[in-house]
Amino acid sequence: MVTDVFDLDCDDEMRDQIEKSARHLYGLVHARYITTTRGLAKMLEKYKKGDFGKCPRVDCKSGHLLPTGMADIPNVQFVKLYCAKCEDLYNPKSSRHSTIDGAYFGSSFQNILFQVYPALIPEKSIARYEPKIFGFKVHAAAALQRWQDKRRDEMQGRLKLAGLENPFSLPAESADGDMEEDDEDGEGFDGEGMEIGDDAIAQ
């Protein structure tokens, strides 16, 4: 199988299983090979040519991508594309590439490449999209309000899952009882405070 010579007499089902296992073995070997000196050099050439694609993010200005996996264990996640400018991951555009197991590249390849070739680390993209209406920037208070509303909704959702829909409100009976006690205390205090004798006024 390694030399592309397969003379074993077997049925089609077993042959397919063997070929599938051979492709899987080749993929795992490939993940180890691209982290070697020769493998990194070849992947570097492809990276410079942009063979793996360009970042779809506008502010990255078509920065080149690198293939990477989100896990080193097979059959966990398909291969993703890493942009060193925005440090984010993207799905491959090609349907053929999107079915490749991410473990065939590993989760450490792009980090090892830039450790060996630090001069290739691009300048980070710090530019961010600014929402505007008719050329005017959206007020920061509006964005803050949306963020606060979102956080409040998330907090309410977590409290609801924990069985505490409104943990800061008192029961109705307890709240009414406290109000009545406060009223009684207030009335007694007003009576004592308002009783001022004629002698005190004269003084």
Side-chain angles (χ1 to χ4, degrees):
M1 179 61 70
V2 175
T3 59
D4 202 20
V5 177
F6 187 64
D7 297 330
L8 179 63
D9 186 13
C10 60
D11 55 12
D12 294 339
E13 184 177 355
M14 181 177 292
R15 181 182 294 272
D16 293 340
Q17 183 65 30
I18 293 175
E19 290 180 355
K20 182 179 179 181
S21 299
R23 289 193 297 269
H24 179 65
L25 176 61
Y26 175 81
L28 296 179
V29 172
H30 176 267
R32 294 295 184 92
Y33 171 73
I34 61 177
T35 57
T36 62
T37 303
R38 292 182 59 186
L40 287 172
K42 290 189 175 183
M43 295 295 283
L44 178 61
E45 294 179 4
K46 292 179 176 290
Y47 171 67
K48 289 182 176 180
K49 295 178 182 178
D51 291 347
F52 303 115
K54 298 179 180 180
C55 184
R57 187 171 179 270
V58 176
D59 290 326
C60 287
K61 299 179 181 180
S62 301
H64 293 177
L65 300 173
L66 282 170
T68 184
M70 299 183 67
D72 297 319
I73 303 174
N75 303 322
V76 174
Q77 188 65 266
F78 294 120
V79 67
K80 304 297 179 184
L81 297 175
Y82 170 77
C83 175
K85 282 192 173 183
C86 60
E87 296 183 332
D88 209 346
L89 298 177
Y90 300 92
N91 291 317
K93 292 183 178 180
S94 174
S95 58
R96 182 172 64 89
H97 295 159
S98 61
T99 58
I100 299 176
D101 198 320
Y104 297 166
F105 290 91
S107 60
S108 304
F109 158 67
Q110 74 278 5
N111 300 318
I112 296 175
L113 180 69
F114 289 122
Q115 286 286 334
V116 177
Y117 303 100
L120 294 177
I121 300 177
E123 184 179 355
K124 304 303 179 185
S125 175
I126 60 175
R128 292 293 182 268
Y129 168 73
E130 295 181 352
K132 297 180 180 181
I133 298 177
F134 299 117
F136 297 97
K137 295 181 180 179
V138 177
H139 199 277
L144 178 60
Q145 182 64 36
R146 290 195 298 270
W147 180 83
Q148 290 175 341
D149 293 341
K150 182 180 178 181
R151 290 289 179 250
R152 184 180 64 251
D153 294 340
E154 292 177 354
M155 177 63 73
Q156 290 177 350
R158 290 196 294 267
L159 291 174
K160 188 174 182 180
L161 291 176
L164 302 172
E165 295 188 10
N166 196 358
F168 302 106
S169 64
L170 297 174
E173 296 180 357
S174 176
D176 294 341
D178 294 340
M179 291 293 291
E180 292 176 358
E181 292 178 0
D182 293 341
D183 292 342
E184 292 176 357
D185 294 340
E187 291 175 358
F189 175 80
D190 293 340
E192 295 177 358
M194 294 300 293
E195 291 177 357
I196 302 176
D198 297 336
D199 296 338
I201 296 176
Q203 293 177 358

